[in-house]
């Protein structure tokens, strides 16, 4: 996998991919950042906005590329365009605004990430209710970790009729000190359990708002 730009976003991705056992090559034009990460994973000092430099790196050989450059709109667009021209099958690009994201999508980025906006959205959901974790997957479909509403405590998933009443699905239940188990209709929910629930974000908010 190719990671371009070793700021906070790009370096975090490169370090995590390397830790997970993936082959990573990082491209960075700043000598100080190259020096900082030397020995952590394979590095190349190059200006990825230059098509010739990208060709020398062999960018077309990488199935996945991540563009972590976000501070310079021009550099971000040029690098993404170079990857598109090289036929990279999957291009992930960081954006710093919705306008930036729109441009990256129009020139051919397959996945655009707005780290600050995504983090802000997630934290807003966590601080505003009883949700303990919140992951929006796509088009409003969301998975949350939460405490069970009082009306479900002491009853099975089937008895509570959670899906019928609220349109959300209990995927798993974690009793205190035990592992998560996949939930079925006969899975009983206790007051101290943790629930993993999926559904549209609006429906999940309604369910989580129950006392």
């Amino acid at each position: 996998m190719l990671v371009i730009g070793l700021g906070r976003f790009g370096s975090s991705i490169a370090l995590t991919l390397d830790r997970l056992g993936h082959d990573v090559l990082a491209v960075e034009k700043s000598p100080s950042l190259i020096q900082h990460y030397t020995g952590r994973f394979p590095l190349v000092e190059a200006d990825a906005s230059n098509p010739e430099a990208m060709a020398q790196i062999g960018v077309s050989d990488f199935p996945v590329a991540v563009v972590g450059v976000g501070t310079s709109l021009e550099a971000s667009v040029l690098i993404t365009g170079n990857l598109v021209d090289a036929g990279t099958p999957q291009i992930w690009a960081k954006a710093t605004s919705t306008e930036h994201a729109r441009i990256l999508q129009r020139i051919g980025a397959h996945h655009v990430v707005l780290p600050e906006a995504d983090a802000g959205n997630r934290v807003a959901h966590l601080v505003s209710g009883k949700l303990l974790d919140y992951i929006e997957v796509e088009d409003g479909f969301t998975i949350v970790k939460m405490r069970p509403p009082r009306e479900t405590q002491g009853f099975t998933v089937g008895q509570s009729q959670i899906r019928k009443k609220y349109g959300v699905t209990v995927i798993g239940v974690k009793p205190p000190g035990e592992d998560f188990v996949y939930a079925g209709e006969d899975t009983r929910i206790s007051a101290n359990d943790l629930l993993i629930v999926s559904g549209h974000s609006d429906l999940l908010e309604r369910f989580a708002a129950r006392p």
Side-chain angles (χ1 to χ4, degrees):
M1 297 187 186
L2 187 67
V3 178
I4 302 171
L6 289 177
R8 283 179 296 179
F9 180 75
S11 61
S12 176
I13 288 176
L15 288 166
T16 302
L17 289 172
D18 182 68
R19 188 173 67 248
L20 293 173
H22 296 285
D23 292 328
V24 178
L25 176 65
V27 180
E28 172 58 55
K29 70 175 184 178
S30 167
S32 61
L33 286 174
I34 288 289
Q35 184 177 3
H36 181 74
Y37 289 105
T38 295
R40 309 287 291 274
F41 39 73
L43 296 164
V44 173
E45 184 177 340
D47 181 359
S49 64
N50 184 333
E52 294 181 3
M54 295 285 268
Q56 290 176 357
I57 293 167
V59 63
S60 58
D61 296 332
F62 291 88
V64 180
V66 179
V67 182
V69 178
T71 53
S72 169
L73 176 61
E74 181 182 2
S76 170
V77 169
L78 288 173
I79 293 167
T80 303
N82 288 339
L83 292 169
V84 172
D85 291 343
T88 305
Q90 280 209 55
I91 302 169
W92 293 75
K94 172 189 173 182
T96 55
S97 67
T98 53
E99 293 78 11
H100 186 184
R102 193 177 301 117
I103 292 169
L104 293 174
Q105 289 169 337
R106 284 180 178 174
I107 64 175
H110 304 104
H111 308 277
V112 177
V113 182
L114 286 128
E116 291 187 359
D118 293 343
N121 180 50
R122 179 172 177 270
V123 171
H125 282 88
L126 298 182
V127 301
S128 64
K130 292 186 288 188
L131 302 180
L132 303 176
D133 207 350
Y134 178 98
I135 303 172
E136 186 167 342
V137 181
E138 190 172 1
D139 296 332
F141 180 80
T142 304
I143 299 173
V144 304
K145 179 168 69 174
M146 60 177 287
R147 298 289 183 188
R150 193 178 305 127
E151 67 195 69
T152 67
Q153 298 170 14
F155 298 95
T156 66
V157 172
Q159 290 170 336
S160 299
Q161 296 186 309
I162 295 170
R163 184 169 180 79
K164 181 178 180 181
K165 290 181 180 178
Y166 300 102
V168 300
T169 302
V170 178
I171 300 173
V173 176
K174 184 185 185 302
E178 300 180 28
D179 294 332
F180 274 103
V181 295
Y182 287 106
E185 289 291 293
D186 58 350
T187 301
R188 191 167 298 276
I189 299 171
S190 300
N192 295 321
D193 288 346
L194 292 177
L195 305 183
I196 301 296
V197 190
S198 67
H200 192 278
S201 57
D202 292 343
L203 298 176
L204 286 168
E205 290 284 0
R206 175 170 165 255
F207 180 55
R210 298 295 299 168

